[in-house]
Amino acid sequence: MTEHTEDRGHRKDQISDRNRLAGQSSRRKQKQGEAHYLTKPFPFAVELGFFAGFIWGAIYLLLYVIHFTIVPLGFLAEPFFKHEFVNSMAGHLTGWLFFIAFSILAAVLYTFTLRKLKGPIPGMIYGIIWWLIIFVLVGPKVHMMKPQNELTWDSIITEFCFFLLWGLFIGYTVAMEYTDERKREPEKAGA
């Protein structure tokens, strides 16, 4: 009878050892496997764009309210609405929504084209390119804002720095998500 009881105890130990090892190997596979760290680009870009537009739109509105710039937040909505509406409170909120939509579009574009670039510099350049497109090339032609020579220096510098930081926010967030190698390293033995 003693042998039978010892045999059961030995089997239970073997089963528990097998289960423990199987649990460790599956955890190891999960930590080292690509599927665990794979971020889907489109949902990530939409979420990033929303928060970039929401946060930086609020900062832009503050910059406009404290007169760092004379270009209202609704500059993106200017071609679709009357100028008087864009300068009202409802126009500022509408402009904020347009800026959120624009940021989503810009984040999706950056994520699908430049996500493998490392560091903060690509995002800063991306923001400067958007500033050039909006404030130098397209904006004055479609009457989003006055031409550069009719804007104040405070506005030009504020807008340039704003878009540089907005691009940095998008670019560096994407770079950290898709090029951060620390989280892809295998777990050290015994840790």
Side-chain angles (χ1 to χ4, degrees):
M1 177 121 178
T2 312
E3 286 179 30
H4 191 7
T5 308
E6 286 178 20
D7 191 34
R8 274 193 210 162
H10 184 64
R11 283 185 191 158
K12 285 181 184 178
D13 289 342
Q14 285 179 340
I15 291 172
S16 65
D17 285 344
R18 252 186 271 143
N19 289 339
R20 186 175 48 82
L21 290 173
Q24 284 179 351
S25 67
S26 68
R27 265 187 265 133
R28 240 183 253 127
K29 287 178 187 174
Q30 186 179 13
K31 286 186 179 182
Q32 291 177 1
E34 284 295 313
H36 184 267
Y37 293 106
L38 182 63
T39 302
K40 294 180 181 176
F42 187 73
F44 172 76
V46 169
E47 184 179 7
L48 171 62
F50 173 79
F51 284 107
F54 186 78
I55 294 167
W56 288 96
I59 292 170
Y60 191 99
L61 188 58
L62 176 67
L63 293 172
Y64 178 75
V65 168
I66 61 176
H67 303 292
F68 274 49
T69 182
I70 61 171
V71 180
L73 179 58
F75 70 90
L76 290 170
E78 187 82 32
F80 307 104
F81 296 98
K82 292 183 178 182
H83 185 70
E84 295 81 31
F85 175 75
V86 171
N87 286 327
S88 68
M89 184 49 104
H92 293 308
L93 294 176
T94 303
W96 198 353
L97 292 175
F98 269 75
F99 190 72
I100 290 171
F102 166 69
S103 295
I104 290 171
L105 176 71
V108 168
L109 183 66
Y110 189 93
T111 301
F112 280 100
T113 58
L114 305 171
R115 73 175 170 231
K116 296 297 180 187
L117 298 178
K118 296 180 180 182
I121 303 298
M124 294 167 73
I125 293 170
Y126 188 69
I128 292 169
I129 290 170
W130 275 112
W131 178 81
L132 284 170
I133 291 170
I134 292 172
F135 282 86
V136 177
L137 301 175
V138 177
K141 291 180 179 149
V142 296
H143 305 291
M144 287 177 152
M145 74 275 305
K146 297 175 184 176
Q148 291 290 313
N149 59 352
E150 294 179 27
L151 291 175
T152 63
W153 277 105
D154 291 344
S155 293
I156 294 169
I157 293 168
T158 299
E159 300 292 344
F160 181 82
C161 292
F162 174 82
F163 273 89
L164 182 128
L165 293 173
W166 170 82
L168 174 66
F169 181 84
I170 291 174
Y172 202 56
T173 303
V174 171
M176 287 304 294
E177 184 65 30
Y178 288 102
T179 63
D180 187 17
E181 293 300 319
R182 289 179 297 147
K183 65 183 179 185
R184 290 180 177 81
E185 289 180 6
E187 186 178 313
K188 295 195 187 310

